[in-house]
Amino acid sequence: DNSRFWSWEVALTASGVGAAAGVVLGPLFAWTLLRNAPLWRAIGETAFASAIGYGLSLAVGGMALPAGLYVVGNIAAPLVFPVLAALRLRHEVNKSRRLAGSST
């Protein structure tokens, strides 16, 4: 049954939630967590993390989760993974700035 693994309704819902979250979280991340990060990394790494989160939620959710939790996972994972990516990038940028400051 492929309908449990893939559904246009779930994909469209997750896309809509992701777009709405991006409108809110994008500027919030840019001005708080990623102020000193290069723009290409701030956009690219968080977008890549969102895609990975959605892909993992499809793969894992289709095999192991009940239908209701599957939908929640498809919405939550693309929101959680970019937050983790932004926090990781902020830590990396701050660490490299500290190292650059200590060598002068």
Side-chain angles (χ1 to χ4, degrees):
D1 182 21
N2 197 24
S3 64
R4 179 176 157 103
F5 190 72
W6 171 255
S7 160
W8 280 107
E9 292 83 15
V10 172
L12 291 174
T13 301
S15 299
V17 170
V23 168
V24 174
L25 295 178
L28 181 67
F29 285 171
W31 287 106
T32 58
L33 296 176
L34 303 173
R35 180 175 284 223
N36 297 317
L39 184 60
W40 68 272
R41 289 189 70 186
I43 293 171
E45 291 184 21
T46 54
F48 183 71
S50 182
I52 293 294
Y54 185 62
L56 286 175
S57 72
L58 282 177
V60 173
M63 292 183 277
L65 299 175
L69 196 54
Y70 172 64
V71 172
V72 170
N74 278 334
I75 293 171
L79 298 177
V80 171
F81 276 66
V83 172
L84 296 175
L87 290 170
R88 187 206 61 79
L89 182 57
R90 179 179 185 223
H91 175 71
E92 185 179 314
V93 167
N94 286 342
K95 185 172 81 171
S96 66
R97 291 183 78 199
R98 282 192 305 270
L99 292 174
S102 66
S103 64
T104 57

